[in-house]
Amino acid sequence: MTRPLRIGNASGFYGDRRAAVREMLDGGPLDVLTGDYLAELTMLILGRDRSADPSRGYARTFLAQMEECLGLAAERGVRIVVNAGGLNPAGLAGALRDLAARLGLGTAVASVEGDDLLSRAGELGLGTPLTANAYLGAFGIAECLRAGADVVVTGRVTDASLVVGPAIAHFGWGRDDLDPLAGAVVAGHVLECGAQATGGNLSAFDEHPLEQLLHPGFPLAELSADGSCVITKHPGTGGVVDRDTVTAQLLYEIGGPRYAGPDVVARFDTITLTDDGADRVRISGVRGELPPPTTKVCLNSLGGHRNEVTFVLTGDRIEAKARFARAQFEAALTTRPAELVWSTVGVQRPDADTEASASVLLRCTALDPSADVVGRAFSGAAVEMALASYPGFHLTAPPGNGSPFGVYTAAYVPQDAVPHVAVLPDGSRVDIEPPTVMRALEEVPPGQSAPAHPGGQGSTVPGPTRRAPLGAVARARSGDKGGTANIGFWARTDPAAAWLAAVLTPARVRELLPEAADLPVTVHPLPNLRAVNVVIDGLLGRGVAASARFDPQGKAVGEWLRGRTLDIPEELL
């Protein structure tokens, strides 16, 4: 098949807009509709669900969406590929078959499994986690579609595989079609987070009419046989697709220029973006390399229990009140938790015109293996201070019990140690063999990313400078991978991009972000995108579920850094 394949997305996470499936099916022509339901934290949530009830472990909201839209998808001739199977793709596939029968539909349902390594965790050196799921590639999805599946549900596949699999089935690619596979990976990476590619969470949101961004449409890719694509959205839907929105999503939650997956390594330093009309951006030129011999495994373990109390400090003498509250509260604790983390939100504002703006929040987060240590004894100690503490004492919430928290870690196992099974609509099972030719993954050394933008890596702009926020010349998008944060910065012009690459060294990043002073910082230039990607290991501690940080997933680190000031060439301003 040579005609473009129209692939849309209707979910970026478990809890995304429920109406998006219907919106995408009604909004215009599609060949395939995908949905990404699995974040690292979601696997922990589903693991706890499965522990309580072995028949669970999948995204139940997807089943509710299909109750409403399965018939519509059949009427429109749209095939559906989702990872909503989570820890129990067979269970979700069975529930979908039951639903289709009840609705009088002849929907052919297939599934992909093999990613769940929990029963072999000890054998593979993965310890004793609550969940252990390898990231599978796209060829199992393609096998299901070639066998006539209308709906394919998977467990833990790479997010981009939801797009790559349909492309393999449609265009007939093999494992040696590295450049087309890599192009589809890039398209999948843009689509996977839904409305983040159509104006959601955009640094430049204030450059667009407010009404345009209130209800952004979800993205779709018109994918061609060579792996190039056009990112767009259904006509008449909200939001915007331009080079800003596509670049922002390309930089989201990545590391270096080599973006590794089990089928191919996509070189993000070869991506070319060009305008292709209103709400249309073409992606081309993506080069692919051999996949690595290992695949990533998402491990979630129970880390203990946590609780939190938040004191409100109002008016003047904020620092003195904070010292008083900390000392009094810690003295009242009969057992000190294993970890006690204090942080403040806000700063003292003299002569504030509202009580809220005159207040600062003092947070105390406790983590401990014991539920009792961080339970009512912990939060109750704060309540007992109510009539015996600093002036104006009050809390933001009543006392509560502690709750379990999880710890995410990544591991790697040989690809040939992971079963990859396509369960076809007729129930037959097909083993998907791993790649036969692989190559160890190597980092691209800074300065070797190509092609370079005019002015060259490390160029500077002569002339006078002025103190200004970094955001005056840079847009940003940040995110998380476990305890690691990444911040992608990009510029609108080549001179500004060259200046960014020269100025944002690891030392300068640590200066702008004091939390990273003692942490490993790597800066990856991506001159083809007029961008640099900053990776900070350990900024988010042990990951979102265990983090006591105010922004545990690092979603706003980029906006914080855009507000930091430094000397910027006036020519760029």
Side-chain angles (χ1 to χ4, degrees):
M1 300 290 290
T2 56
R3 69 172 180 83
L5 183 68
R6 287 176 64 89
I7 305 178
N9 170 281
S11 176
F13 68 100
Y14 190 10
D16 208 346
R17 188 191 307 167
R18 179 167 170 169
V21 171
R22 176 170 287 279
E23 291 173 8
M24 289 300 287
L25 291 173
D26 277 338
L30 287 176
D31 298 304
V32 179
L33 185 61
T34 67
D36 180 9
Y37 292 79
L38 301 183
E40 293 155 359
L41 180 61
T42 310
M43 301 302 284
L44 173 65
I45 294 169
L46 294 178
R48 293 176 62 187
D49 280 353
R50 184 176 64 176
S51 295
D53 182 348
S55 69
R56 293 185 179 180
Y58 56 78
R60 286 174 286 169
T61 54
F62 171 70
L63 197 58
Q65 289 171 309
M66 290 299 96
E67 175 93 31
E68 179 185 354
C69 295
L70 192 58
L72 181 60
E75 178 185 320
R76 299 282 197 270
V78 178
R79 303 168 96 176
I80 295 173
V81 180
V82 296
N83 60 15
L87 302 177
N88 189 6
L92 178 56
L96 282 169
R97 292 187 188 100
D98 292 342
L99 173 63
R102 180 161 53 82
L103 296 176
L105 301 172
T107 304
V109 180
S111 60
V112 176
E113 59 187 49
D115 61 294
D116 194 341
L117 303 180
L118 186 61
S119 64
R120 299 169 54 213
E123 164 199 339
L124 295 171
L126 303 176
T128 56
L130 176 67
T131 67
N133 294 82
Y135 284 79
L136 301 179
F139 280 85
I141 294 171
E143 188 72 26
C144 293
L145 292 170
R146 282 195 292 257
D150 300 307
V151 180
V152 182
V153 297
T154 77
R156 180 69 283 181
V157 297
T158 68
D159 298 341
S161 289
L162 302 175
V163 169
V164 181
I168 293 170
H170 184 73
F171 296 115
W173 297 337
R175 287 199 177 272
D176 56 349
D177 291 309
L178 296 178
D179 289 349
L181 288 169
V185 165
V186 170
H189 182 68
V190 174
L191 296 190
E192 69 185 50
C193 288
Q196 279 198 165
T198 55
N201 303 345
L202 186 66
S203 270
F205 76 96
D206 53 346
E207 298 178 12
H208 302 278
L210 176 62
E211 297 76 13
Q212 187 176 3
L213 299 181
L214 294 181
H215 192 84
F218 274 59
L220 63 92
E222 297 171 354
L223 189 60
S224 297
D226 63 356
S228 65
C229 71
V230 172
I231 303 298
T232 184
K233 60 187 183 69
H234 283 320
T237 57
V240 62
V241 176
D242 61 16
R243 290 180 62 170
D244 257 353
T245 69
V246 173
T247 300
Q249 183 55 31
L250 285 172
L251 296 174
Y252 184 62
E253 296 184 344
I254 66 168
R258 281 191 167 104
Y259 187 82
D263 298 322
V264 67
V265 173
R267 288 291 297 254
F268 272 47
D269 55 350
T270 63
I271 297 169
T272 296
L273 302 182
T274 52
D275 295 324
D276 194 61
D279 288 316
R280 295 176 62 86
V281 174
R282 180 171 295 278
I283 300 177
S284 60
V286 185
R287 301 298 304 273
E289 297 176 342
L290 290 171
T294 59
T295 189
K296 185 178 176 181
V297 182
C298 171
L299 301 175
N300 278 293
S301 303
L302 291 178
H305 295 77
R306 65 181 294 159
N307 204 346
E308 180 178 303
V309 293
T310 302
F311 302 88
V312 182
L313 315 174
T314 305
D316 62 356
R317 300 164 294 165
I318 294 295
E319 290 185 5
K321 290 171 182 174
R323 286 194 300 272
F324 187 177
R326 287 185 57 165
Q328 191 175 36
F329 181 61
E330 291 189 24
L333 294 175
T334 54
T335 304
R336 187 180 179 88
E339 294 182 56
L340 204 62
V341 182
W342 290 90
S343 61
T344 57
V345 181
V347 295
Q348 180 173 322
R349 291 182 56 186
D351 197 27
D353 57 2
T354 67
E355 183 178 334
S357 61
S359 298
V360 172
L361 303 182
L362 175 65
R363 301 167 64 239
C364 182
T365 304
L367 302 97
D368 195 89
S370 169
D372 292 335
V373 170
V374 297
R376 291 277 175 167
F378 171 79
S379 55
V383 173
E384 290 177 1
M385 294 165 53
L387 303 181
S389 191
Y390 61 86
F393 177 99
H394 63 286
L395 305 172
T396 58
N401 292 318
S403 58
F405 72 88
V407 176
Y408 162 83
T409 54
Y412 294 85
V413 298
Q415 289 217 45
D416 59 11
V418 180
H420 186 172
V421 181
V423 184
L424 306 185
D426 64 2
S428 59
R429 301 171 66 84
V430 178
D431 291 327
I432 307 299
E433 296 299 320
T436 55
V437 184
M438 296 174 278
R439 185 170 68 195
L441 186 68
E442 297 178 355
E443 290 287 342
V444 177
Q448 292 189 14
S449 294
H453 45 60
Q457 169 74 25
S459 64
T460 57
V461 179
T465 62
R466 178 161 26 110
R467 198 76 179 172
L470 179 60
V473 293
R475 288 76 169 24
R477 169 72 61 78
S478 57
D480 68 307
K481 282 295 179 186
T484 297
N486 94 285
I487 310 101
F489 294 99
W490 72 99
R492 283 282 185 85
T493 67
D494 290 327
W499 177 83
L500 270 181
V503 169
L504 287 183
T505 62
R508 178 58 62 88
V509 171
R510 292 189 182 97
E511 177 186 319
L512 295 173
L513 206 168
E515 289 181 69
D518 300 318
L519 298 175
V521 176
T522 309
V523 179
H524 300 282
L526 292 166
N528 55 309
L529 297 175
R530 294 175 174 158
V532 295
N533 188 46
V534 177
V535 179
I536 306 175
D537 293 323
L539 183 69
L540 308 179
R542 290 178 288 172
V544 55
S547 179
R549 197 174 181 277
F550 177 63
D551 174 20
Q553 290 182 282
K555 301 300 184 185
V557 175
E559 288 301 296
W560 173 24
L561 290 177
R562 288 184 72 248
R564 300 284 281 164
T565 62
L566 65 170
D567 295 323
I568 299 176
E570 289 190 356
E571 181 180 327
L572 301 181
L573 297 172

